[in-house]
Amino acid sequence: PRAVLQINCKGRGQPHGLDEQALDLAVVLAHHAAVALQKAELVERLREAERSLREENIFLRRRAAGASAVVAESPQMRALMAELDKAAESDVTVLLSGETGTGKEVAARRIHERSRRADKLLVPVNCGALAENLLDSELFGHKKGAFTGAQSDRKGVFEVASGGTVFLDEIGETPLDLQVRLLRVLQEGKIKRVGEVMERSVDVRIIAATNRDLAQLVEQGRFRQ
């Protein structure tokens, strides 16, 4: 928006004419008026974006809640559901193991939805789908200028999911160097963004999943005990 100030400038010495000082003042006032209008429009846009995000968040939560419904009939599945519900009662870290396609993410969602964190986010991350440097930034975030393309500060998954749950799928694919940083989260609840020195505290519950034999990987020196 533009603020337009119409000024009828008459010749010097004529009544109602504006001298140079008054004209400068008018220009300054017009500038401030334009800035005020721009700020007002920006505030309205931000409010509209906030309303849109709130509605989208409600929709996504409802859709996610319905997607994890499980119908268990066999004794084995009923026993599994009972075990998941028992795990949901505490904040203990959970490792789900099983072949690809057996519903490990569905199990993770059931644990989250029956935990005290159910009203917060569940954020899934496929650890095998990203290169090490990208996974590092995805999980822990980065500081502006930490690497090429880091044009601004960015929160990682552990900060975004604060108060909720992080689901680390294919945890067996996590590089050894990154496992050291994950251990810090598990033991101390601390993270450090890529390119930063200071640590930040996070409050997240971690559920991990794998289709590999982690004990065997530990023996092979490919996974930290």
Side-chain angles (χ1 to χ4, degrees):
R2 296 180 178 178
V4 179
L5 179 62
Q6 293 185 342
I7 302 174
N8 183 16
C9 297
K10 296 186 177 181
R12 186 179 296 273
Q14 296 185 23
H16 310 301
L18 292 177
D19 57 21
E20 185 175 353
Q21 184 178 7
L23 184 57
D24 289 342
L25 177 60
V27 172
V28 170
L29 291 175
H31 172 73
H32 283 294
V35 171
L37 287 172
Q38 290 175 347
K39 288 184 177 179
E41 184 180 16
L42 178 59
V43 169
E44 182 57 32
R45 287 182 178 178
L46 289 174
R47 287 174 178 170
E48 181 61 32
E50 183 182 9
R51 286 193 293 267
S52 178
L53 286 173
R54 190 181 298 114
E55 293 173 358
E56 182 179 356
N57 189 32
I58 293 173
F59 169 75
L60 291 174
R61 287 180 184 276
R62 288 175 178 172
R63 186 176 66 175
S68 61
V70 177
V71 178
E73 296 292 345
S74 68
Q76 293 87 348
M77 284 298 296
R78 288 182 180 274
L80 174 60
M81 294 301 107
E83 191 170 355
L84 294 175
D85 292 345
K86 184 176 181 180
E89 296 175 359
S90 70
D91 259 358
V92 64
T93 300
V94 175
L95 174 65
L96 301 169
S97 59
E99 297 177 359
T100 300
T102 52
K104 296 186 289 297
E105 184 169 351
V106 174
R109 290 189 179 278
R110 183 181 181 93
I111 293 174
H112 172 73
E113 291 167 5
R114 284 162 174 74
S115 72
R116 66 177 182 84
R117 300 175 181 270
D119 61 334
K120 302 295 183 180
L121 291 176
L122 168 66
V123 183
V125 179
N126 189 327
C127 298
L130 298 172
E132 181 175 352
N133 60 329
L134 294 178
L135 181 58
D136 199 355
S137 176
E138 180 75 9
L139 293 176
F140 300 100
H142 61 251
K143 183 179 180 181
K144 179 180 179 180
F147 51 84
T148 303
Q151 298 179 354
S152 61
D153 291 351
R154 179 180 182 274
K155 290 183 178 180
V157 164
F158 288 120
E159 287 185 83
V160 172
S162 181
T165 305
V166 174
F167 174 54
L168 300 177
D169 199 7
E170 303 300 342
I171 189 69
E173 307 297 329
T174 308
L176 280 170
D177 290 343
L178 197 56
Q179 291 174 28
V180 177
R181 302 190 66 186
L182 284 177
L183 186 59
R184 182 69 174 162
V185 181
L186 289 169
Q187 291 182 333
E188 305 294 338
K190 302 282 188 180
I191 67 157
K192 187 186 298 182
R193 292 182 183 178
V194 178
E196 269 191 350
V197 176
M198 72 171 189
E199 289 189 320
R200 302 168 184 262
S201 297
V202 292
D203 174 26
V204 294
R205 190 220 188 128
I206 295 178
I207 302 176
T210 183
N211 61 358
R212 309 186 66 178
D213 187 341
L214 291 189
Q216 186 178 25
L217 293 181
V218 170
E219 292 179 357
Q220 297 171 353
R222 300 168 59 188
F223 200 85
R224 293 179 61 88
Q225 187 172 5

Short mmCIF file of all heavy atoms in Angstrom, two decimals, residues 130-162:
data_model
loop_
_atom_site.label_atom_id
_atom_site.label_comp_id
_atom_site.label_asym_id
_atom_site.label_seq_id
_atom_site.Cartn_x
_atom_site.Cartn_y
_atom_site.Cartn_z
N LEU A 130 18.61 -40.28 4.52
CA LEU A 130 19.36 -39.03 4.40
C LEU A 130 20.85 -39.27 4.56
O LEU A 130 21.27 -40.14 5.33
CB LEU A 130 18.89 -38.01 5.46
CG LEU A 130 17.43 -37.56 5.39
CD1 LEU A 130 17.09 -36.73 6.62
CD2 LEU A 130 17.17 -36.78 4.13
N ALA A 131 21.65 -38.49 3.84
CA ALA A 131 23.10 -38.53 4.02
C ALA A 131 23.44 -38.02 5.43
O ALA A 131 22.64 -37.32 6.05
CB ALA A 131 23.77 -37.66 2.97
N GLU A 132 24.64 -38.36 5.92
CA GLU A 132 24.99 -38.06 7.30
C GLU A 132 24.87 -36.58 7.63
O GLU A 132 24.31 -36.20 8.66
CB GLU A 132 26.42 -38.53 7.60
CG GLU A 132 26.84 -38.27 9.03
CD GLU A 132 28.21 -38.84 9.35
OE1 GLU A 132 28.76 -39.57 8.50
OE2 GLU A 132 28.73 -38.56 10.45
N ASN A 133 25.39 -35.69 6.75
CA ASN A 133 25.34 -34.26 7.06
C ASN A 133 23.91 -33.73 7.05
O ASN A 133 23.54 -32.87 7.86
CB ASN A 133 26.20 -33.47 6.07
CG ASN A 133 25.75 -33.63 4.63
OD1 ASN A 133 25.24 -34.68 4.25
ND2 ASN A 133 25.94 -32.61 3.81
N LEU A 134 23.08 -34.26 6.16
CA LEU A 134 21.69 -33.83 6.12
C LEU A 134 20.92 -34.36 7.33
O LEU A 134 20.07 -33.66 7.89
CB LEU A 134 21.03 -34.31 4.83
CG LEU A 134 21.57 -33.70 3.53
CD1 LEU A 134 20.85 -34.30 2.33
CD2 LEU A 134 21.40 -32.19 3.54
N LEU A 135 21.19 -35.59 7.73
CA LEU A 135 20.53 -36.17 8.90
C LEU A 135 20.91 -35.41 10.15
O LEU A 135 20.08 -35.17 11.03
CB LEU A 135 20.90 -37.65 9.03
CG LEU A 135 20.26 -38.42 10.19
CD1 LEU A 135 18.73 -38.37 10.09
CD2 LEU A 135 20.75 -39.86 10.21
N ASP A 136 22.18 -35.02 10.25
CA ASP A 136 22.66 -34.24 11.40
C ASP A 136 21.86 -32.95 11.52
O ASP A 136 21.36 -32.59 12.60
CB ASP A 136 24.14 -33.93 11.21
CG ASP A 136 24.83 -33.55 12.51
OD1 ASP A 136 24.14 -33.44 13.53
OD2 ASP A 136 26.06 -33.37 12.51
N SER A 137 21.71 -32.22 10.41
CA SER A 137 20.96 -30.98 10.42
C SER A 137 19.49 -31.21 10.67
O SER A 137 18.83 -30.44 11.36
CB SER A 137 21.16 -30.25 9.08
OG SER A 137 20.37 -29.09 9.02
N GLU A 138 18.95 -32.30 10.11
CA GLU A 138 17.53 -32.61 10.28
C GLU A 138 17.20 -32.87 11.75
O GLU A 138 16.18 -32.40 12.25
CB GLU A 138 17.17 -33.84 9.44
CG GLU A 138 15.72 -34.27 9.54
CD GLU A 138 14.77 -33.37 8.76
OE1 GLU A 138 15.25 -32.51 8.01
OE2 GLU A 138 13.55 -33.53 8.93
N LEU A 139 18.05 -33.59 12.43
CA LEU A 139 17.79 -33.95 13.82
C LEU A 139 18.10 -32.81 14.79
O LEU A 139 17.32 -32.54 15.70
CB LEU A 139 18.60 -35.18 14.21
CG LEU A 139 18.22 -36.50 13.53
CD1 LEU A 139 19.19 -37.60 13.94
CD2 LEU A 139 16.79 -36.90 13.86
N PHE A 140 19.25 -32.17 14.59
CA PHE A 140 19.73 -31.21 15.59
C PHE A 140 19.59 -29.75 15.18
O PHE A 140 19.77 -28.87 16.01
CB PHE A 140 21.20 -31.51 15.90
CG PHE A 140 21.43 -32.89 16.45
CD1 PHE A 140 21.88 -33.91 15.62
CD2 PHE A 140 21.16 -33.19 17.77
CE1 PHE A 140 22.08 -35.19 16.11
CE2 PHE A 140 21.35 -34.46 18.27
CZ PHE A 140 21.81 -35.48 17.44
N GLY A 141 19.29 -29.49 13.91
CA GLY A 141 19.19 -28.12 13.45
C GLY A 141 20.56 -27.56 13.12
O GLY A 141 21.58 -28.22 13.29
N HIS A 142 20.62 -26.32 12.66
CA HIS A 142 21.90 -25.71 12.34
C HIS A 142 21.85 -24.20 12.54
O HIS A 142 20.78 -23.60 12.61
CB HIS A 142 22.33 -26.03 10.90
CG HIS A 142 21.37 -25.52 9.85
ND1 HIS A 142 20.56 -26.34 9.12
CD2 HIS A 142 21.08 -24.26 9.43
CE1 HIS A 142 19.83 -25.63 8.28
NE2 HIS A 142 20.13 -24.36 8.46
N LYS A 143 23.04 -23.64 12.64
CA LYS A 143 23.19 -22.19 12.78
C LYS A 143 23.44 -21.59 11.41
O LYS A 143 24.03 -22.22 10.53
CB LYS A 143 24.37 -21.89 13.71
CG LYS A 143 24.58 -20.42 14.00
CD LYS A 143 25.76 -20.23 14.95
CE LYS A 143 25.99 -18.75 15.25
NZ LYS A 143 27.15 -18.55 16.16
N LYS A 144 22.98 -20.37 11.22
CA LYS A 144 23.19 -19.67 9.96
C LYS A 144 24.68 -19.64 9.62
O LYS A 144 25.52 -19.28 10.45
CB LYS A 144 22.64 -18.24 10.06
CG LYS A 144 22.83 -17.42 8.79
CD LYS A 144 22.26 -16.02 8.97
CE LYS A 144 22.47 -15.17 7.72
NZ LYS A 144 21.93 -13.80 7.89
N GLY A 145 25.01 -20.04 8.37
CA GLY A 145 26.39 -20.02 7.92
C GLY A 145 27.20 -21.23 8.32
O GLY A 145 28.41 -21.30 8.04
N ALA A 146 26.56 -22.24 8.95
CA ALA A 146 27.29 -23.42 9.40
C ALA A 146 27.84 -24.22 8.23
O ALA A 146 28.87 -24.88 8.34
CB ALA A 146 26.39 -24.31 10.26
N PHE A 147 27.15 -24.15 7.09
CA PHE A 147 27.62 -24.84 5.89
C PHE A 147 26.97 -24.15 4.69
O PHE A 147 26.08 -23.30 4.84
CB PHE A 147 27.26 -26.33 5.92
CG PHE A 147 25.80 -26.60 6.23
CD1 PHE A 147 24.84 -26.59 5.24
CD2 PHE A 147 25.40 -26.87 7.53
CE1 PHE A 147 23.50 -26.83 5.52
CE2 PHE A 147 24.07 -27.11 7.84
CZ PHE A 147 23.13 -27.09 6.82
N THR A 148 27.40 -24.52 3.50
CA THR A 148 26.86 -23.92 2.29
C THR A 148 25.36 -24.19 2.19
O THR A 148 24.92 -25.32 2.28
CB THR A 148 27.56 -24.50 1.04
OG1 THR A 148 28.96 -24.28 1.15
CG2 THR A 148 27.03 -23.84 -0.21
N GLY A 149 24.60 -23.13 2.04
CA GLY A 149 23.15 -23.27 1.94
C GLY A 149 22.43 -22.99 3.24
O GLY A 149 21.19 -22.86 3.26
N ALA A 150 23.16 -22.89 4.36
CA ALA A 150 22.54 -22.57 5.65
C ALA A 150 22.33 -21.06 5.75
O ALA A 150 23.15 -20.34 6.32
CB ALA A 150 23.40 -23.08 6.80
N GLN A 151 21.24 -20.58 5.17
CA GLN A 151 21.02 -19.14 5.05
C GLN A 151 20.35 -18.53 6.28
O GLN A 151 20.24 -17.32 6.40
CB GLN A 151 20.17 -18.87 3.81
CG GLN A 151 20.84 -19.32 2.51
CD GLN A 151 19.98 -19.06 1.30
OE1 GLN A 151 18.84 -18.64 1.40
NE2 GLN A 151 20.54 -19.33 0.12
N SER A 152 19.89 -19.37 7.20
CA SER A 152 19.28 -18.87 8.42
C SER A 152 19.35 -19.95 9.49
O SER A 152 19.60 -21.12 9.20
CB SER A 152 17.81 -18.49 8.16
OG SER A 152 17.05 -19.62 7.75
N ASP A 153 19.14 -19.56 10.75
CA ASP A 153 19.07 -20.54 11.83
C ASP A 153 17.87 -21.45 11.60
O ASP A 153 16.82 -21.02 11.13
CB ASP A 153 18.91 -19.83 13.17
CG ASP A 153 20.17 -19.07 13.58
OD1 ASP A 153 21.20 -19.23 12.89
OD2 ASP A 153 20.12 -18.34 14.57
N ARG A 154 18.04 -22.73 11.95
CA ARG A 154 16.96 -23.69 11.73
C ARG A 154 16.88 -24.66 12.89
O ARG A 154 17.88 -25.22 13.32
CB ARG A 154 17.20 -24.46 10.43
CG ARG A 154 16.13 -25.51 10.11
CD ARG A 154 16.47 -26.20 8.80
NE ARG A 154 15.46 -27.18 8.43
CZ ARG A 154 15.46 -28.44 8.84
NH1 ARG A 154 16.42 -28.86 9.65
NH2 ARG A 154 14.52 -29.29 8.46
N LYS A 155 15.69 -24.87 13.40
CA LYS A 155 15.48 -25.86 14.44
C LYS A 155 15.49 -27.26 13.86
O LYS A 155 15.04 -27.48 12.74
CB LYS A 155 14.13 -25.64 15.14
CG LYS A 155 14.04 -24.40 16.00
CD LYS A 155 12.70 -24.32 16.68
CE LYS A 155 12.59 -23.12 17.60
NZ LYS A 155 11.26 -23.06 18.27
N GLY A 156 16.02 -28.20 14.63
CA GLY A 156 15.99 -29.59 14.23
C GLY A 156 14.76 -30.29 14.79
O GLY A 156 13.97 -29.71 15.53
N VAL A 157 14.62 -31.56 14.45
CA VAL A 157 13.46 -32.34 14.87
C VAL A 157 13.33 -32.39 16.39
O VAL A 157 12.22 -32.29 16.93
CB VAL A 157 13.56 -33.77 14.29
CG1 VAL A 157 12.60 -34.72 15.00
CG2 VAL A 157 13.26 -33.75 12.80
N PHE A 158 14.45 -32.52 17.10
CA PHE A 158 14.37 -32.63 18.55
C PHE A 158 13.83 -31.36 19.21
O PHE A 158 13.20 -31.43 20.27
CB PHE A 158 15.75 -32.96 19.13
CG PHE A 158 16.20 -34.37 18.86
CD1 PHE A 158 17.36 -34.62 18.15
CD2 PHE A 158 15.45 -35.45 19.29
CE1 PHE A 158 17.77 -35.92 17.89
CE2 PHE A 158 15.84 -36.76 19.03
CZ PHE A 158 17.01 -36.99 18.33
N GLU A 159 14.04 -30.21 18.59
CA GLU A 159 13.47 -28.97 19.12
C GLU A 159 12.02 -28.81 18.68
O GLU A 159 11.17 -28.38 19.46
CB GLU A 159 14.29 -27.77 18.66
CG GLU A 159 15.63 -27.63 19.35
CD GLU A 159 16.35 -26.35 18.95
OE1 GLU A 159 16.05 -25.29 19.54
OE2 GLU A 159 17.21 -26.42 18.04
N VAL A 160 11.74 -29.13 17.43
CA VAL A 160 10.37 -29.00 16.91
C VAL A 160 9.42 -29.88 17.70
O VAL A 160 8.28 -29.51 17.98
CB VAL A 160 10.33 -29.37 15.41
CG1 VAL A 160 8.90 -29.42 14.91
CG2 VAL A 160 11.13 -28.36 14.60
N ALA A 161 9.88 -31.08 18.07
CA ALA A 161 9.02 -32.05 18.77
C ALA A 161 9.06 -31.88 20.28
O ALA A 161 8.63 -32.78 21.01
CB ALA A 161 9.44 -33.47 18.40
N SER A 162 9.54 -30.76 20.77
CA SER A 162 9.66 -30.55 22.21
C SER A 162 8.35 -30.84 22.94
O SER A 162 7.29 -30.33 22.55
CB SER A 162 10.09 -29.11 22.49
OG SER A 162 10.23 -28.89 23.87
#
